[in-house]
Amino acid sequence: MLPLDDRTAMQICTIERPAEELPRERYIYYPGTSSVPESVAVNVRGRSYKIIADVEITDPNCSGVIFAHGSRFGGHSLFIKDRKLHYVYNFLGIKPEQKFVSPELKPGKYALGMEFTRESAGKYHEAVGKTKLYVNDKVVAEGPMRAQVGKFTLCGDGLCIGYDSADAVSQEYKGSSPFKGGTILGVGVTIEKAQYLDLETLAMAAFAVD
């Protein structure tokens, strides 16, 4: 059937759908809402990004998902387990999961979050960089991480606050793992404005036109 689509698989997987809303760098999400479809949720793929949650822990055994986006086939999640803050990035479902874990948390009010700083692109165009896990303004864990540039899921799992969707992002918990033993006031996500551009690919495309 014509016209033929000569885009690569990478281009098809990373293309953005048209949207009426102008691009922005900061998103705020609240608990008690339905999951946000990936097509309209914050896009952290190929970018540096930060996630910060305003949380009050009232029960020493507080646990559950604070933020989750994606599925077992790819995504990331910020959650509390065994009294510790965890951030897991599930890269295309490939094991082992990339994990960052804090020391134990006591009851109190916290700013809990993480920051991924993209430094380069890997062999398969994935974003490569460093992740830091924060409790308030203190870095409690850090290390290298890679993040996918393609969409997290093709089966409809969106961005969730206070729970995960039916298909859990991480093997560290089961099911929706709703947040309990405290209150999530809100979760903010900030992204780097410019997405990573593969300069070699762009150059090859330019030369092909010439």
Side-chain angles (χ1 to χ4, degrees), residues 173-192:
Y173 54 85
K174 296 181 179 179
S176 60
S177 189
F179 187 80
K180 57 185 179 181
T183 303
I184 303 170
L185 301 180
V187 180
V189 184
T190 302
I191 58 173
E192 178 188 61

Side-chain angles (χ1 to χ4, degrees), residues 2-176:
L2 298 175
L4 297 176
D5 190 342
D6 62 352
R7 292 175 298 174
T8 65
M10 175 66 70
Q11 291 171 327
I12 293 173
C13 288
T14 58
I15 190 171
E16 294 297 321
R17 293 182 61 183
E20 294 182 359
E21 183 181 5
L22 293 175
R24 51 195 171 112
E25 298 178 33
R26 183 173 298 175
Y27 295 74
I28 304 294
Y29 297 102
Y30 298 96
T33 61
S34 300
S35 63
V36 181
E38 184 167 17
S39 59
V40 294
V42 57
N43 177 10
V44 301
R45 302 183 305 276
R47 296 173 167 92
S48 297
Y49 62 92
K50 302 176 184 177
I51 302 173
I52 302 176
D54 191 1
V55 175
E56 181 175 7
I57 296 175
T58 55
D59 185 337
N61 294 314
C62 175
S63 65
V65 170
I66 298 172
F67 168 100
H69 191 183
S71 70
R72 61 192 167 103
F73 299 111
H76 56 151
S77 181
L78 188 71
F79 58 95
I80 294 177
K81 178 184 177 183
D82 298 330
R83 303 185 180 186
K84 300 175 182 179
L85 177 68
H86 293 65
Y87 176 72
V88 166
Y89 194 103
N90 177 357
F91 186 88
L92 296 172
I94 300 173
K95 307 304 178 190
E97 296 177 342
Q98 300 171 101
K99 304 175 185 178
F100 304 86
V101 184
S102 79
E104 287 193 8
L105 300 173
K106 298 178 180 180
K109 295 182 179 180
Y110 293 96
L112 303 175
M114 56 73 58
E115 176 182 20
F116 172 68
T117 303
R118 174 183 48 77
E119 297 173 341
S120 62
K123 179 180 178 180
Y124 301 103
H125 306 283
E126 72 273 22
V128 177
K130 179 180 290 185
T131 288
K132 295 180 180 179
L133 185 69
Y134 286 89
V135 173
N136 295 328
D137 58 353
K138 182 180 180 181
V139 177
V140 294
E142 62 182 312
M145 193 182 89
R146 59 176 181 163
Q148 61 193 65
V149 293
K151 291 181 172 58
F152 288 136
T153 176
L154 299 177
C155 57
D157 291 304
L159 186 154
C160 306
I161 303 298
Y163 67 99
D164 200 341
S165 59
D167 195 8
V169 170
S170 174
Q171 289 188 330
E172 291 292 318
Y173 54 85
K174 296 181 179 179
S176 60

